[in-house]
Amino acid sequence: MSDLTFTPSDPYALEKELRHVQALMQLEQKEDLEQFKLKNAKASIAERQQRGLTWYPVTITKEDIGFGGKIVLELERPAGQQGLHLFQVGKNASLFGNVSGRAATDRPTLSGVITSVRRNKLLLATTKEDLPDWVLEGGKLGIDLTFDEVSYREMDYALGKVMGAYGDRLAELRDVLLGAKEARFRDEKVEDLYYPSPLNESQLAAVRHVMAAQDVAIIHGPPGTGKTTTLVQAILETIRRERRVLVCAPSNTAVDLLTEKLAERGVNVIRMGNPSRVSDLLLEHTLDAQVFAHKSYNELRSMRQTAEQYREMAGKYVRNFGYEEQQQRRQLKEDARLLFQQADDLERYITEDLLEQVQVITCTLVGASNRNIRHLTYETVFIDEAAQALEPGCWIPIAKAKRVVLAGDHHQLPPTVKSEKAARDGLRETLFEKCIKRQPATARMLTVQYRMHEQIMEFNSEQFYDGQLVAHDTVRHAGLDAYDLSFAPDLPVEFLDTAGFGFQEITIPESRSTANPEEADLLLKRLAQLLEPYDPAEHEEDLLTIGVIAPYRAQINYLKDAIEGNDELAGLMEHRMLSVGTVDSFQGQERDIIAITLTRSNSHGEIGFLSDIRRMNVGMTRARKKLLLVGDSSTLSAHPFFKAMLEYIERIGGYRSAWELQD
């Protein structure tokens, strides 16, 4: 945590705080760039391919003209290369020519942004209007992911804007969000809500709170409490009163989900940037699709085609031509240039026409600076997953707002920070966290959860949410035995204690990761035993879903290998009923059964980053019907959170020694 403590009495406190955040962000950028360079500088093409950072060789299968007359290339890698990769929509990448005799650092490159990825094909929107000669010379081509400087540049620019704000709306919002000025609210009126909805009382209270807020409102949504549903309702109520709002989130997945939910409710919504999910409903609401559907699009396409024909005709005059042909070539090139320019103007007009009529624009935080919407301002900006967003990222959309609504849960996973020093000094502390601590009156917490059996919920409710969570009737007693009687009797929460078994953790020095193979085997043995009476054929419409979570990559790798050697469990994995991953990979998801191997077992009571209890909150609350925990109580109980957890599990009768399983 930062040494810098906010003191409202200091007139320069906010400026100091924001300068500190800016310095941490620069540290983070430096570390990110270093890690990127380290991974890539000395790596051969084959190594980069293995890491998922390069496709090689690629062939150009299609060439199109995109926005602004820039070339868009469709690239394809060989069908045999179906390995995992990190290419995704919105990432910066560059096409390179593997010219013989040239060092890797001296390869010719063509930069661009990935706009589509489908199996072995991707689209690269380049920055050029013509392809360079080396692309056409027939040498082998490849494509590399490149470092993303745009996000850092936009965050830095937004921070500068916030620090420099004086006497305007941004200055007021900054002061409210950071606790220097009291947030204002109108009187909340029940009859103010227009849209009919099945929301519960705490969700309705949150929506009314959003409508009453004049500056800032926070929807605090613990696991399973219907945060997205509540947020969508608040957006629907807002667009009744306001012409156009901006809805953002730090991840593409969250933006996609909100776009789909709003579109389902009949909202005129445009998704800026490129979605990561490819659903027809979502694609229909992208800016590109809306441009294609516009009444003036045929005219635009016709202009571009004619311009392209002129350019091709001009290119045919290559050798042995006189003055007249030269003039004709010049004229054709000029006509093509003017037509492309007119097409760009028309595309700008179409875009502005669409944005003029839209009710909701959705995008990522950095996407709020997209050139098509950069100039727009909004009455209200909504930021979902705000407790997972770096503070500088949040200021990008806030700088365009008169009012801000944040949604999230600061007791779940914080944002990812690559620089340990920046994380330690406060970069992990989000704007959401600062605001909810300094201005508690801005927040309304959702209290009814629809996911978990009440015994799975209860401990986390006490630890993180002041015991305020209530299990809805539909899930309160919905354990495995309610799903299928063959599971009865069952414990919704079970802790299998390996203390005294001598299952020692192993640290793998190269990766600084930890594994505990014997504990992993015990967990899988218990899982197989638990699933013995289960017959998937009887539940074709409602198959059980199982998640196995471990805090360390080395333990996950061991589990995956062990599952492969177990026919029954491997079959479940094949049918996508069973998945294995870290807590981070399960954020925002849920499973009927969650099994967690806590891994740490040593004589010093060292638990490493298990002490980040927010991770445990996320891991435990993914479970709907059954939570199975396996660990060494003697190591874990040195930490107050785990001590309290063991006491709770013992109180509800869920504690078992691993000896019982051996017997």
Side-chain angles (χ1 to χ4, degrees), residues 25 148-162 170 173 177 246 248-250 363-371 373-378 381-383 389-401 404 406 431:
M25 204 63 223
D148 176 20
E149 276 176 24
V150 179
S151 300
Y152 287 108
R153 192 166 61 237
E154 291 299 343
M155 287 193 277
D156 195 58
Y157 176 74
L159 273 174
K161 213 169 163 186
V162 173
L170 179 56
L173 283 177
L177 281 156
L246 180 68
C248 302
C363 60
T364 58
L365 300 172
V366 175
S369 61
N370 179 299
R371 60 195 163 85
I373 58 169
R374 219 185 166 99
H375 59 292
L376 299 178
T377 55
Y378 311 87
V381 163
F382 291 85
I383 302 178
L390 290 171
E391 181 184 337
C394 288
W395 290 117
I396 300 170
I398 292 171
K400 301 163 193 303
V404 183
L406 305 175
L431 190 59

Side-chain angles (χ1 to χ4, degrees), residues 245-263:
V245 302
L246 180 68
V247 175
C248 302
S251 74
N252 272 305
T253 319
V255 178
D256 292 347
L257 177 66
L258 283 165
T259 309
E260 283 180 340
K261 297 277 184 203
L262 289 163

Side-chain angles (χ1 to χ4, degrees), residues 1 5 177 258 262 283 303 315 327 364 373 398 449 452 454 520:
M1 196 54 76
T5 317
L177 281 156
L258 283 165
L262 289 163
L283 292 174
M303 275 183 186
Q327 288 299 93
T364 58
I373 58 169
I398 292 171
Q449 69 81 21
M452 299 160 260
E454 67 178 353

